[in-house]
Amino acid sequence: MYNVPADFINETKVWETLEQNKNPEPAQLKEVLAKAAEMKGLNLADVAVLTSISDPEMLGELFNTANTVKETIYGKRLVLFVPLYISNLCANECLYCAFRATNKEIDRHALSQEHIARETEVLINQGHKRVLLVAGESYPKKGFDYVLESIRSVYSVKNEHGEIRRVNINVAPLAVDEFKQLKAEGIGTYQIFQETYHRETYQKVHVGGKKRDYNWRVWALHRAMEAGIDDVGIGVLFGLFDYRFEIMAMMQHIFELEDKFGVGPHTISVPRMEPATNSDMASHPPFPVSDIDFRKIVAILRLAVPYTGIIMSTRETAKMRRDTFALGVSQISAGSKTNPGGYEEANEISGQFSLGDHRPLDEVIRDVASMGYIPSFCTACYRMGRTGQDFMDLAKPGDIRLHCAPNGLSSFKEYLQNYASSETREIGDQLIRETIAGMSGIAKQRAEKLVNRVEAGRDDVYC
């Protein structure tokens, strides 16, 4: 099944739908935005209509609707995580990536398990609780077992500052039995990007290695979900092809997962191409995405799949990241390094791509809190089994906020109490007081109870 063409990505239908909806009347635009405000998702034609918006007034309405939907579902909560690159070995030849196999301008390195443990300890001491484990698509002698051992190494590190409570994974596509092994290690989300859904472009930019197989990659999430991993993440590398096509094709992928497994992706990542060592393509994207179109992408995805998390990485500048919080972003990385071993000490090993936001975790948290957003390190849903369909069953009627809001506040309080600078602690404590004062009912009772427990010296409290 998983080596056949993925006919659920129907390029002809994408182009036809875009053509049919390229010049919508203002009334049609408003109708789609009104539908989006109901938070029940959008179909392919609706998404095509929104991609056509260019009028500043209608862009404002798009952004305002996205903000309303985001805050209705997520409130002011922003989940934080950090990528942990364990290796830049790679057998693929992706023209936009510094890790590509033939690139002689970077040093290659795969961290030992001892080094992974030391990197993990640095992240724990900074206050991180969520890690995204990332590796190039080739491993040392142990092969895939290297990834499994690396997960164990991260989870094994515990000190007076705590531990990493959830490891998410971004590694090469796997077979079903390998995905089952991954699940057995207690991972959170399995994440993989198709990079581009446009088949011709895909072949042009992936010129060597197993990644050339479009079908093997696009079926990866089917295999993961068949193996029992019900939290999966998808994404597109914007800049490789027309962003309108990419959004539409990604929606087809989402609809396919919903149809086959009853639930779509847990997260969508929206990386935009950034310069990478010895890659002319990375510095000169074939289809560059302007800042305004990038904001449009985030807003459209928030309206199209309202209950799916949208991830913004440190590829983007601090300003762009701030701008997208109100448009739909619900998860951000902070204090990131994209080179193996980059956290323990500065090294000369090249990163996968250039970063736009180099600020340390504490500075990011202070900035986020100053804007009125609650930085959350919560991992409760993974640990309480609220994943996949169970998560959506709570999210769609709004019940998940009875857990997310209190848990976000308690995990933020834990950070402030154990890791934050005095300036960040002052801003954060005030925000927590103001946020709880504005809550009501069960959510307020839970938040007060959990925050009080943290203040009394308890860590890792959640509901």
Side-chain angles (χ1 to χ4, degrees):
M1 171 184 177
Y2 298 128
N3 287 320
V4 301
D7 57 2
F8 56 87
I9 305 296
N10 186 328
E11 296 187 9
T12 300
K13 184 175 182 180
V14 166
W15 291 123
E16 288 177 348
T17 307
L18 285 170
E19 178 66 23
Q20 291 164 2
N21 295 278
K22 67 179 181 180
N23 294 308
E25 296 293 329
Q28 187 180 1
L29 289 169
K30 291 179 180 293
E31 183 180 333
V32 172
L33 290 176
K35 179 181 177 181
E38 297 175 0
M39 297 181 293
K40 295 180 181 178
L42 300 175
N43 61 35
L44 211 59
D46 296 330
V47 173
V49 167
L50 296 184
T51 65
S52 72
I53 294 178
S54 58
D55 175 72
E57 182 177 343
M58 288 308 304
L59 274 174
E61 292 194 32
L62 170 67
F63 293 162
N64 288 337
T65 306
N67 182 44
T68 299
V69 168
K70 191 264 176 126
E71 296 212 355
T72 299
I73 295 172
Y74 291 94
K76 287 286 191 177
R77 185 176 53 92
L78 276 174
V79 172
L80 280 89
F81 71 96
V82 65
L84 175 55
Y85 280 72
I86 60 174
S87 169
N88 62 2
L89 307 182
C90 197
N92 295 318
E93 190 66 17
C94 308
L95 298 183
Y96 50 83
C97 182
F99 289 179
R100 69 186 186 279
T102 62
N103 188 5
K104 304 301 183 184
E105 293 191 17
I106 68 169
D107 294 325
R108 302 289 176 173
H109 193 55
L111 302 184
S112 67
Q113 298 307 315
E114 293 77 12
H115 199 166
I116 290 170
R118 295 199 303 272
E119 287 275 285
T120 301
E121 187 155 20
V122 172
L123 296 176
I124 291 171
N125 292 342
Q126 291 176 0
H128 284 290
K129 302 300 179 187
R130 288 169 167 249
V131 159
L132 174 65
L133 197 75
V134 187
E137 298 197 3
S138 180
Y139 311 120
K141 292 180 180 179
K142 290 190 175 182
F144 176 60
D145 283 346
Y146 173 72
V147 173
L148 302 178
E149 290 182 3
S150 299
I151 297 168
R152 293 174 205 140
S153 293
V154 174
Y155 277 137
S156 71
V157 180
K158 296 175 173 58
N159 63 25
E160 68 274 15
H161 294 293
E163 68 287 313
I164 296 299
R165 296 172 184 161
R166 187 55 49 193
V167 177
N168 298 330
I169 299 290
N170 184 321
V171 295
L174 303 169
V176 173
D177 63 329
E178 292 172 319
F179 276 122
K180 289 180 179 178
Q181 294 177 63
L182 208 56
K183 178 178 173 59
E185 296 299 333
I187 69 161
T189 302
Y190 171 73
Q191 179 190 87
I192 190 170
F193 304 158
Q194 189 64 21
E195 316 294 11
T196 174
Y197 285 96
H198 187 245
R199 289 176 175 84
E200 181 181 351
T201 299
Y202 189 94
Q203 294 304 315
K204 286 180 179 178
V205 300
H206 301 111
V207 298
K210 193 171 183 177
K211 195 169 177 177
R212 277 187 58 78
D213 190 338
Y214 178 103
N215 294 321
W216 176 251
R217 194 169 187 88
V218 82
W219 283 109
L221 295 184
H222 286 71
R223 298 192 298 275
M225 297 183 84
E226 182 181 317
I229 299 175
D230 55 5
D231 268 14
V232 297
I234 64 175
V236 165
L237 182 55
F238 288 102
L240 289 176
F241 192 61
D242 187 327
Y243 79 87
R244 301 170 306 150
F245 175 93
E246 301 288 20
I247 293 175
M248 297 282 283
M250 184 159 54
M251 290 304 302
Q252 290 183 327
H253 198 172
I254 291 169
F255 295 150
E256 163 72 9
L257 295 176
E258 290 175 340
D259 180 60
K260 292 294 189 298
F261 300 100
V263 62
H266 185 66
T267 59
I268 298 174
S269 295
V270 288
R272 185 164 52 159
M273 289 182 71
E274 296 293 341
T277 301
N278 196 25
S279 170
D280 182 68
M281 178 177 288
S283 298
H284 303 92
F287 288 82
V289 176
S290 68
D291 286 352
I292 192 65
D293 283 339
F294 190 60
R295 294 182 180 94
K296 268 178 62 176
I297 288 167
V298 174
I300 290 169
L301 289 174
R302 173 49 62 220
L303 299 181
V305 278
Y307 297 95
T308 298
I310 297 180
I311 297 175
M312 179 64 61
S313 78
T314 48
R315 285 175 178 263
E316 298 296 332
T317 64
K319 182 182 185 307
M320 178 56 75
R321 279 152 59 89
R322 291 188 199 103
D323 290 350
T324 57
F325 295 166
L327 301 177
V329 167
S330 56
Q331 295 189 26
I332 60 171
S333 53
S336 304
K337 304 287 186 182
T338 66
N339 53 317
Y343 295 111
E344 186 182 27
E345 59 184 26
N347 61 44
E348 299 302 319
I349 298 173
S350 298
Q352 187 178 21
F353 49 81
S354 299
L355 299 178
D357 188 350
H358 298 270
R359 297 173 298 166
L361 176 63
D362 190 75
E363 187 176 342
V364 172
I365 287 179
R366 184 164 62 250
D367 184 37
V368 167
S370 297
M371 296 175 66
Y373 291 96
I374 300 293
S376 172
F377 295 87
C378 177
T379 58
C381 282
Y382 294 116
R383 298 151 86 190
M384 297 292 287
R386 296 190 292 258
T387 61
Q389 187 62 55
D390 290 338
F391 174 84
M392 288 299 174
D393 288 344
L394 288 169
K396 291 184 177 179
D399 294 341
I400 196 65
R401 290 189 67 181
L402 299 178
H403 300 281
C404 290
N407 290 337
L409 288 167
S410 66
S411 68
F412 182 32
K413 179 64 179 178
E414 183 180 344
Y415 173 84
L416 295 173
Q417 196 151 290
N418 296 336
Y419 309 97
S421 64
S422 58
E423 183 181 0
T424 300
R425 187 178 303 116
E426 182 179 352
I427 292 170
D429 281 338
Q430 179 179 343
L431 178 59
I432 289 176
R433 289 192 295 270
E434 292 173 351
T435 301
I436 291 178
M439 298 169 73
S440 61
I442 295 175
K444 182 174 185 177
Q445 294 172 20
R446 288 177 174 174
E448 289 177 332
K449 182 178 180 180
L450 294 180
V451 169
N452 287 339
R453 284 183 180 177
V454 176
E455 287 180 338
R458 290 277 303 278
D459 287 339
D460 197 18
V461 295
Y462 53 89
C463 60

